[in-house]
Each structure stands twice: as C-alpha cells, then as structure tokens.
Amino acid sequence: MLVLYETAAGYALFNLVDDKKLEKPENLWKDFETPDQANKTLKLKAFSKFENTTDALSAVTGIVEGKIPKNLKKFLSSEISEKEMKKEKLVVGDAKLGSALNKKLGISVLSDSSVLDLYRGIREQFESLVSGLSHSDLNAMSLGLSHSLSRYKLKFSPDKVDTMIVQAIGLLDDLDKELNTYAMRVKEWYGWHFPEMGKIIIDNLAYAKVVKAVGFRTNTSATDLSSILPEELEAEIKDAAEISMGTEISDEDLENIHSLCDQVINISEYRAQLYEYLKNRMNAIAPNLTSLVGELVGARLIAHTGSLMNLAKQPASTIQILGAEKALFRALKTKHNTPKYGLIYHASLVGQAGPKYKAKVARMLATKTAIALRVDALGETETADIGIEGRTKVEARIRMLESGGNARANRDRSSFKQSKFKFNKPAQYNAQSDAVMTEASEPTPAPASPEAPSKRKLEDSDDSEPKKAKKEKKDKKEKKEKKAKKSKKED
C-alpha cells in the first residue's frame, strides 16, 4: 500500500510494509514511538521537492480547492507504474484530493478516518523518514508557505471591497442595539424626575438633547428648545414641566444622566456617519443591487453569504428566502408551507405591495436581484441601469396587481400589434360537398345483369307490403281502445 504525504518542502511517497496495520488504527501510535520503528513501518519510495515558494503556493492552493496540481500529477504518474495503479491502493489524507486522484489516475484511494493516526505518526517522525531535511528548514518553509497562502486568500481588488460592507453592516446593527439600550436607560432614569416628557418626545436623540439642554425640569420654561424641537412640542413640554409629578434629583444624579446622554448623542452621530459610509460603498460596489433593494438590505444579503461573489452565485429562489433558513428547514421537517421571503422582505418594493401580493413581488424582486448581482460582481460597467430598469418593472407589476389587471408588466412593447379576432359566419350548406359512405364491396363482384334492378324493386315492394299491413292493424287497435275509453267515461 502506498502513502502520499504533502509537506511545505514537497511531496513524499511511502510504502506501507504491513497493510493489515490499518485494520487496527488505534495501535498505530506504537509503531511510531521511535525513528527505528517508524522506518520499519514505512519505507520512502520517492520525494519531490518544490523548486520555489510560488511552486509550493500553486500546489497548496490546488490541494485546498480539491484539485490535482500539475506537479503532483506528474510525480505520481512517473513514480507509480500502470501495474501498480491497478493493484496498489493509495492512502491520501484529504478526501477531496483522493476523489480527484481516483477520477484522474484511476487508482483506488483510501482517505477515511482510519488513516488519521498514520499521518500523525508520519508528521512526528518525518525528519527520520526523509533524510536531508532538518527541523529548522521545515519550520522556515512552513512559515513562508503559510504567509503566502494567507496573502493569496486575502488578495482582493480595491474596487470590489465587499469585506468592508460586511464589517460596516455588522457594526451598524451593533450600534443600533447599543443605542436602543442606552436611550431606554436615559428615559427610565430621567423619567423619575420628568415622566411626562417620555410620552411627548419619542425620538431618542431629541430626548437626549433636551435632557442635556434643560437639566432640572424647573429650568424648562427658561430654556430655548427651538433648535431641537418644533414649536408645538416645545410649548407642550413647557406646559407639562409646570404640572409634572416627578421626584426631585440631586446634582450628582443629573451629572450621571448627562454623561449617559452624551453617549447617546455621540453614538447617534457616529451611526449617521457610518450609514453614509455604507451608502457610498454600496453605490460603488453594487450599484444595481442598491437601486433595487436599498443599501441596508443589500448589505445584509452580502453579509449573510460572506461576499458579493458568493451572493451572485445563488439562484433567485435562494435569494428570496435568505435569512429564513430556520423557518425553511422547520417547514420541510413538519411538512408545512415553506417561507415566502427572508431578508428581502425588508426591501421598500415589498413594503409597497399589499398583503396579498407580497409573495409575488418578493419572487419577482428576487429574480431581478439575481440578474443585478451578476452584473455587479462580474460585469465591467459601473452604472445602475440594470437595477433601475428592474425596479421600474417591479413597480409596474405592483401597480398592475393593485389595480387588478391581468396584463403582464413586462410585455412586449414592439411595433407589432396583433389584430382582433373576427368571427366569420359560415357559408350556406352545400349538399353536393357531402361524401357518401358505402359498405365494402366483395373482392370479385359479378357484372350486373339488366334484370337485377327489376328484381330489387320487386324485393322492396314485397318488404313494404307486410309493413303496411302492420300499420293498419295498429291503427285499428288504437281506434278500438279509444272507443272503449269513451264508453267507460259515458257510463
């Protein structure tokens, strides 16, 4: 049995001396306790060293993606003969790589959990199994390759920085939670002193600014709040302050409330700044998606899938229910109706539709979103023409559904117009065009003699005579029955 082992230095191919040892993998660690035991268990057949870091990087990226690198394919085809390909079994650590080798080379592969202890032993005694490689050299190669692989995975285009959108929408959601918590605490805390103001001012930022400006409620009448509130609310608050039922608070309490109000104001300002940043990023990276579903919904869709490219690969049916995975699997498990929308429900176009048509609009919006995403991710244009066109079609569809029309919103508007159907009355009945169905004739009919028509007439006359006699008898019976009925009525 052959064993393939990949390292940062190159590929190693070993011969397993006893194949039966894999039948009991729990005892394999005993065969790798010392270098001598490891060399008795495995014999090095071949080792292919990488030429440079780029060669190693290309090989590792191919293995990570489940593909066979060119240098690995060349190494195995040169070291394993055709007879060994048919007879031997190759042990591979990665299941994806093993299935790819089985398809390409036709060699039987073993890559299940039973080989994990074998690879653990090779890793511990690798320096003794492969001569010429020191521990320090292997560590340096592993470190350099890991850095190169990390750079490769983090490589991105400066024009398509969707990772910034993922982080920004996550931070925006966190700020909303914190802001709601702080604002609720301010209202509860200051509500002991001025409870009526919580019902008058609903906006959290305006409430914090009023508390910061007024301080004690006795100062409300002397404070100018025109820069914060409209005139109606300002007059209502000043009237409520004069008849307030709140308790008195100390200066120290007011200082702590003011510091909390400062936090609310600062977080609100930073949230507005972050929203503008997210809006600009979305318009730059995914303009068509933004014009269809908006900045926040588009950013949440990208964050849910991880990147713009991953989202562009999804079909419209998946985009429609993104964010409702729990409901979907619960419905499939319980055999109920599946959800009709997920994150896309919060789009403004779905909100415009009535309750009856939300599912239809969400389905149509998902199809337009799938097209717009592929243009944003793979197209070279930076305009939002596809998104704007799709939005107009969805809006036309909503208007058509609300008005109760049956025409398609995206019908063909070309110059061709179909003529109206006209019902033409059929012509008069033509008896000459009828076809007469006759019975099948005998294969060899005899020639008709001149006496035949006269015989046929005689037969018809003979048949008609008994029919006439029957009719006369029936008529006589009917007359007798009628006379009998009349006589009974007279009696």
Side-chain angles (χ1 to χ4, degrees):
M1 187 177 287
L2 301 174
V3 181
L4 177 65
Y5 185 72
E6 310 93 16
T7 64
Y11 303 114
L13 190 64
F14 296 98
N15 265 324
L16 186 63
V17 177
D18 189 4
D19 297 347
K20 295 181 180 179
K21 289 185 177 181
L22 285 178
E23 296 177 0
K24 296 181 179 179
E26 61 273 6
N27 298 326
L28 267 174
W29 63 273
K30 296 178 181 178
D31 297 324
F32 290 94
E33 287 183 340
T34 60
D36 294 335
Q37 289 177 330
N39 283 306
K40 289 178 182 179
T41 306
L42 290 171
K43 298 293 183 182
L44 181 65
K45 185 177 182 180
F47 182 77
S48 175
K49 193 174 182 180
F50 293 132
E51 295 179 359
N52 47 36
T53 309
T54 55
D55 190 19
L57 179 62
S58 63
V60 171
T61 51
I63 292 171
V64 168
E65 293 172 0
K67 299 176 182 178
I68 305 175
K70 292 181 180 179
N71 49 10
L72 176 60
K73 187 178 179 181
K74 184 179 179 181
F75 169 67
L76 291 175
S77 58
S78 62
E79 295 297 333
I80 304 173
S81 62
E82 293 183 0
K83 292 182 179 180
E84 289 178 333
M85 288 277 187
K86 296 177 181 178
K87 293 181 180 180
E88 292 287 347
K89 185 176 280 189
L90 183 65
V91 179
V92 182
D94 191 5
K96 290 182 179 179
L97 180 63
S99 62
L101 287 171
N102 188 13
K103 290 178 182 178
K104 290 283 184 181
L105 302 178
I107 189 171
S108 59
V109 175
L110 178 64
S111 59
D112 54 6
S113 59
S114 62
V115 303
L116 296 177
D117 292 322
L118 176 63
Y119 276 94
R120 192 176 292 114
I122 294 173
R123 198 179 302 115
E124 290 178 359
Q125 302 294 340
F126 183 72
E127 296 171 17
S128 62
L129 291 169
V130 180
S131 59
L133 288 174
S134 63
H135 183 69
S136 58
D137 292 340
L138 278 175
N139 286 340
M141 290 176 185
S142 301
L143 183 64
L145 184 59
S146 62
H147 286 175
S148 300
L149 185 61
S150 300
R151 289 192 201 98
Y152 175 79
K153 287 186 174 181
L154 291 173
K155 191 182 293 181
F156 55 84
S157 171
D159 298 329
K160 302 282 182 184
V161 195
D162 49 3
T163 53
M164 301 300 170
I165 290 174
V166 175
Q167 298 298 329
I169 192 63
L171 179 58
L172 197 68
D173 292 338
D174 293 340
L175 286 176
D176 286 335
K177 291 178 184 177
E178 294 294 329
L179 191 60
N180 289 333
T181 305
Y182 283 10
M184 182 181 66
R185 186 63 60 193
V186 167
K187 287 184 178 181
E188 287 182 359
W189 203 345
Y190 194 72
W192 287 99
H193 181 60
F194 193 178
E196 293 82 4
M197 193 171 80
K199 296 179 181 179
I200 298 170
I201 303 175
I202 300 172
D203 185 50
N204 295 330
L205 181 60
Y207 189 94
K209 287 182 177 180
V210 169
V211 172
K212 185 76 175 167
V214 171
F216 294 106
R217 70 170 183 269
T218 54
N219 302 330
T220 307
S221 58
T223 307
D224 184 20
L225 302 175
S226 59
S227 61
I228 304 170
L229 299 174
E231 294 180 1
E232 297 175 357
L233 287 178
E234 184 181 1
E236 192 175 352
I237 283 177
K238 288 181 178 180
D239 294 339
E242 295 178 358
I243 56 171
S244 177
M245 300 292 290
T247 60
E248 299 295 330
I249 58 174
S250 63
D251 293 335
E252 188 177 359
D253 297 332
L254 190 62
E255 286 179 4
N256 286 291
I257 294 171
H258 279 179
S259 62
L260 188 57
C261 289
D262 290 334
Q263 292 288 332
V264 172
I265 294 167
N266 292 333
I267 292 173
S268 298
E269 291 175 354
Y270 177 62
R271 189 202 176 281
Q273 179 185 350
L274 184 66
Y275 177 73
E276 287 296 324
Y277 166 78
L278 179 64
K279 186 177 179 181
N280 295 332
R281 278 287 179 187
M282 284 295 295
N283 286 323
I285 294 170
N288 294 289
L289 176 65
T290 305
S291 61
L292 268 173
V293 297
E295 300 87 10
L296 294 177
V297 178
R300 286 193 175 93
L301 287 171
I302 293 172
H304 193 79
T305 52
S307 66
L308 181 65
M309 187 60 69
N310 290 341
L311 184 59
K313 292 176 184 178
Q314 304 298 328
S317 57
T318 304
I319 294 171
Q320 184 181 349
I321 59 169
L322 273 179
E325 287 84 3
K326 287 184 179 179
L328 174 65
F329 293 123
R330 184 171 61 246
L332 293 174
K333 189 176 181 181
T334 57
K335 296 182 180 179
H336 285 80
N337 293 331
T338 53
K340 297 173 183 175
Y341 26 63
L343 290 170
I344 206 168
Y345 178 80
H346 301 286
S348 59
L349 287 172
V350 179
Q352 291 175 16
K356 293 181 181 178
Y357 311 116
K358 284 187 185 295
K360 288 184 179 180
V361 174
R363 186 165 59 249
M364 186 176 182
L365 183 60
T367 57
K368 300 299 180 186
T369 304
I371 297 170
L373 279 165
R374 285 157 197 173
V375 173
D376 289 334
L378 305 170
E380 296 179 356
T381 59
E382 296 181 357
T383 58
D385 297 337
I386 301 295
I388 294 168
E389 184 181 353
R391 188 179 181 89
T392 54
K393 287 183 179 180
V394 176
E395 287 174 349
R397 176 71 172 169
I398 293 170
R399 287 194 298 270
M400 185 269 293
L401 289 172
E402 294 292 342
S403 62
N406 294 322
R408 289 172 63 97
N410 53 353
R411 62 183 180 274
D412 187 25
R413 301 177 187 276
S414 60
S415 58
F416 174 75
K417 291 183 180 179
Q418 187 176 358
S419 59
K420 285 186 177 181
F421 175 75
K422 292 182 180 179
F423 180 74
N424 297 321
K425 291 183 180 180
Q428 292 182 356
Y429 181 73
N430 187 8
Q432 294 179 359
S433 62
D434 290 344
V436 180
M437 300 294 292
T438 57
E439 292 182 357
S441 58
E442 295 180 358
T444 54
S449 60
E451 296 178 356
S454 60
K455 287 182 180 180
R456 183 67 178 269
K457 289 179 181 178
L458 289 171
E459 288 175 1
D460 293 340
S461 61
D462 293 339
D463 293 337
S464 61
E465 285 177 0
K467 288 181 181 179
K468 289 179 181 179
K470 287 179 181 179
K471 284 183 180 180
E472 289 175 357
K473 287 180 181 180
K474 283 183 182 181
D475 294 337
K476 287 179 182 180
K477 283 182 181 180
E478 287 177 359
K479 288 177 181 179
K480 286 180 182 181
E481 287 176 359
K482 286 180 182 179
K483 285 179 181 179
K485 286 180 181 179
K486 284 181 182 180
S487 61
K488 284 181 183 180
K489 286 180 181 180
E490 289 174 358
D491 295 338

